[in-house]
PDB file of all heavy atoms in Angstrom:
ATOM      1  N   GLU A  26      49.450  15.683   6.442  1.00 89.00           N
ATOM      2  CA  GLU A  26      50.120  15.132   7.663  1.00 89.00           C
ATOM      3  C   GLU A  26      50.045  13.622   7.574  1.00 89.00           C
ATOM      4  O   GLU A  26      49.110  13.059   7.081  1.00 89.00           O
ATOM      5  CB  GLU A  26      49.415  15.620   8.912  1.00 89.00           C
ATOM      6  CG  GLU A  26      49.618  17.095   9.122  1.00 89.00           C
ATOM      7  CD  GLU A  26      49.047  17.569  10.460  1.00 89.00           C
ATOM      8  OE1 GLU A  26      48.769  16.748  11.357  1.00 89.00           O
ATOM      9  OE2 GLU A  26      48.859  18.774  10.594  1.00 89.00           O
ATOM     10  N   LEU A 109      55.505  21.974 -33.770  1.00 89.00           N
ATOM     11  CA  LEU A 109      56.306  21.182 -32.866  1.00 89.00           C
ATOM     12  C   LEU A 109      57.233  20.268 -33.705  1.00 89.00           C
ATOM     13  O   LEU A 109      56.871  19.823 -34.745  1.00 89.00           O
ATOM     14  CB  LEU A 109      55.362  20.310 -32.057  1.00 89.00           C
ATOM     15  CG  LEU A 109      55.766  19.770 -30.737  1.00 89.00           C
ATOM     16  CD1 LEU A 109      56.220  20.814 -29.762  1.00 89.00           C
ATOM     17  CD2 LEU A 109      54.594  18.999 -30.107  1.00 89.00           C
ATOM     18  N   GLU A 118      45.416   8.575 -38.610  1.00 47.00           N
ATOM     19  CA  GLU A 118      45.881   8.496 -37.202  1.00 47.00           C
ATOM     20  C   GLU A 118      45.065   9.371 -36.308  1.00 47.00           C
ATOM     21  O   GLU A 118      45.172   9.319 -35.097  1.00 47.00           O
ATOM     22  CB  GLU A 118      47.342   8.916 -37.144  1.00 47.00           C
ATOM     23  CG  GLU A 118      48.267   7.958 -37.827  1.00 47.00           C
ATOM     24  CD  GLU A 118      49.655   8.552 -38.029  1.00 47.00           C
ATOM     25  OE1 GLU A 118      49.734   9.795 -38.074  1.00 47.00           O
ATOM     26  OE2 GLU A 118      50.572   7.778 -38.153  1.00 47.00           O
ATOM     27  N   GLN A 141       7.842 -11.756 -37.040  1.00 53.00           N
ATOM     28  CA  GLN A 141       7.376 -13.143 -37.315  1.00 53.00           C
ATOM     29  C   GLN A 141       8.354 -13.847 -38.208  1.00 53.00           C
ATOM     30  O   GLN A 141       9.007 -13.428 -38.997  1.00 53.00           O
ATOM     31  CB  GLN A 141       6.011 -13.137 -37.899  1.00 53.00           C
ATOM     32  CG  GLN A 141       5.103 -12.405 -36.932  1.00 53.00           C
ATOM     33  CD  GLN A 141       3.782 -13.101 -36.713  1.00 53.00           C
ATOM     34  OE1 GLN A 141       3.609 -14.225 -37.072  1.00 53.00           O
ATOM     35  NE2 GLN A 141       2.898 -12.369 -36.121  1.00 53.00           N
TER      36      GLN A 141
END
Side-chain angles (χ1 to χ4, degrees):
E26 292 185 18
L109 201 56
E118 293 167 335
Q141 304 225 12

